[in-house]
Amino acid sequence: MDAYISLLVWGGIFIITVAAEILSQQLISIWFAAGSLAAFIAACLHASSVTQSILFLIVSILLLICTRPIVKKIFQFQIENTNSQEIGKVATVIQKIDGENQTGRVRLNGVDWTAISQDGTIIAVDDSVRVVAVDGSKLIVCPVKIKEETTV
């Protein structure tokens, strides 16, 4: 009877940990599934409950220690903001930037962007603006002060 209960316990733990792994897809229980499978096999071979438990712990811990850093490194995804490269560049206003009416477009390197003024000022068409920040797909800009040269 004890052998039958051990088979049910280790088989149940195996099914639960595999199901948790399938549902989460986060590599949180795969090591315990392997450990419970090893203990289940030991139970089939009529090993003692202590041996089964020790086998479960050893297999689970060894797999966790040996594979988790490798798996995390392989599946590590980082989202980079590729629009941050636009900060500091000068664009040309192609639609009046007016925060009150929520209008404004600029052209930067041949690409049209929605734009808002950093300080809420209205900026006219054909004015030059500098990109000070990026908010999603919207550029936050400020007017560029152009030094006028005087001829003597």
Side-chain angles (χ1 to χ4, degrees):
M1 185 73 162
D2 188 39
Y4 179 70
I5 292 174
S6 292
L7 289 173
L8 287 177
V9 168
W10 294 119
I13 292 173
F14 177 74
I15 291 169
I16 291 169
T17 53
V18 168
E21 188 62 43
I22 290 169
L23 292 174
S24 70
Q25 297 180 356
Q26 296 292 318
L27 295 174
I28 59 169
S29 63
I30 193 72
W31 304 279
F32 305 112
S36 62
L37 182 61
F40 180 82
I41 292 169
C44 288
L45 298 174
H46 305 291
S48 70
S49 297
V50 173
T51 304
Q52 295 168 27
S53 299
I54 290 172
L55 190 58
F56 169 77
L57 287 174
I58 289 173
V59 169
S60 298
I61 292 171
L62 281 176
L63 286 175
L64 181 64
I65 290 170
C66 294
T67 61
R68 182 144 173 90
I70 296 167
V71 170
K72 280 185 78 170
K73 192 173 188 178
I74 291 171
F75 291 108
Q76 186 176 24
F77 298 105
Q78 293 180 345
I79 299 173
E80 295 182 24
N81 183 358
T82 57
N83 292 338
S84 63
Q85 65 193 9
E86 309 300 345
I87 296 174
K89 293 186 177 178
V90 176
T92 303
V93 177
I94 58 173
Q95 178 188 26
K96 180 172 81 170
I97 298 174
D98 184 353
E100 193 172 305
N101 294 320
Q102 296 186 353
T103 61
R105 294 195 68 74
V106 297
R107 182 165 289 135
L108 177 63
N109 297 330
V111 178
D112 294 356
W113 293 80
T114 302
I116 59 173
S117 173
Q118 179 183 28
D119 57 6
T121 58
I122 295 174
I123 305 173
V125 174
D126 292 330
D127 282 359
S128 293
V129 292
R130 183 170 310 280
V131 178
V132 294
V134 179
D135 182 18
S137 62
K138 191 180 301 181
L139 300 181
I140 301 169
V141 298
C142 67
V144 173
K145 308 273 192 268
I146 300 175
K147 295 181 182 178
E148 297 188 67
E149 296 179 337
T150 56
T151 53
V152 181

